[in-house]
Amino acid sequence: MPAFVRAALRLTRTDLVAKVAKNHERIRRTTTDVARIGGVRVNARWTREFLDYDPAEDLARIQAPVPAVTGDKDLQVNPEDLARMAELVPGPIETHVIPDLTHILRRQPGPPSLRAYRREAREPIDARVRELVTGRLSAKLSSPARDAA
């Protein structure tokens, strides 16, 4: 992909990330259970509680293997958060950032867009995610440790 296209995508993403952050701040300023943000009814109370939750303490207690997958077009969660998760989880963790993948684990070519989510939600989860999950399960189910149990 040419450098100017990558730069344009970063600018587009930054604008969407800034818009989401602005909406989050508007929700934080609310005191009601429900609010209208951009003309849409939002469960403001739940969103405020969700935004205030810091998973660091919970992540630090996980001893089980953790497969963590996101996409480089995830607009709700910064893909860079996987590095922080890897620092916090004391058990084995395997992280993957998949190109052109959104928060809902669907492929989204072109610039990232929240508007495409409704249509994309009707599509199956991206094949790369399915391959990661099924490959991990196949390896786990066929491991010698399982046979010895």
Side-chain angles (χ1 to χ4, degrees):
M1 179 182 304
F4 73 90
V5 173
R6 285 194 305 272
L9 288 175
R10 277 195 300 275
L11 286 174
T12 303
R13 179 183 166 85
T14 302
D15 291 344
L16 287 173
V17 170
K19 182 177 180 177
V20 169
K22 183 178 177 182
N23 286 343
H24 286 171
E25 286 309 311
R26 289 182 64 202
I27 292 168
R28 282 183 189 279
R29 289 192 304 267
T30 65
T31 56
T32 58
D33 288 349
V34 177
R36 287 200 174 275
I37 304 295
V40 176
R41 286 175 48 97
V42 174
N43 185 334
R45 180 179 176 198
W46 179 89
T47 303
R48 285 190 307 270
E49 291 171 359
F50 177 79
L51 292 172
D52 290 340
Y53 170 68
D54 180 2
E57 189 176 309
D58 293 326
L59 290 169
R61 290 193 306 258
I62 297 174
Q63 297 296 325
V66 175
V69 180
T70 194
D72 70 350
K73 291 187 180 173
D74 189 332
L75 297 171
Q76 281 95 338
V77 178
N78 188 335
E80 294 173 6
D81 287 351
L82 291 182
R84 179 74 175 130
M85 285 179 65
E87 291 172 1
L88 291 168
V89 174
I93 183 168
E94 183 179 317
T95 63
H96 300 274
V97 178
I98 300 176
D100 286 336
L101 200 71
T102 67
H103 184 75
I104 61 171
L105 305 177
R106 283 11 182 238
R107 184 173 186 278
Q108 189 179 87
S113 167
L114 291 173
R115 291 196 170 139
Y117 274 24
R118 181 171 285 176
R119 177 188 48 78
E120 291 169 353
R122 290 184 231 124
E123 298 171 6
I125 290 176
D126 186 81
R128 296 167 294 180
V129 175
R130 288 193 315 267
E131 289 167 11
L132 270 172
V133 172
T134 57
R136 184 176 177 84
L137 286 171
S138 295
K140 193 72 173 164
L141 293 173
S142 66
S143 71
R146 187 184 187 313
D147 294 338

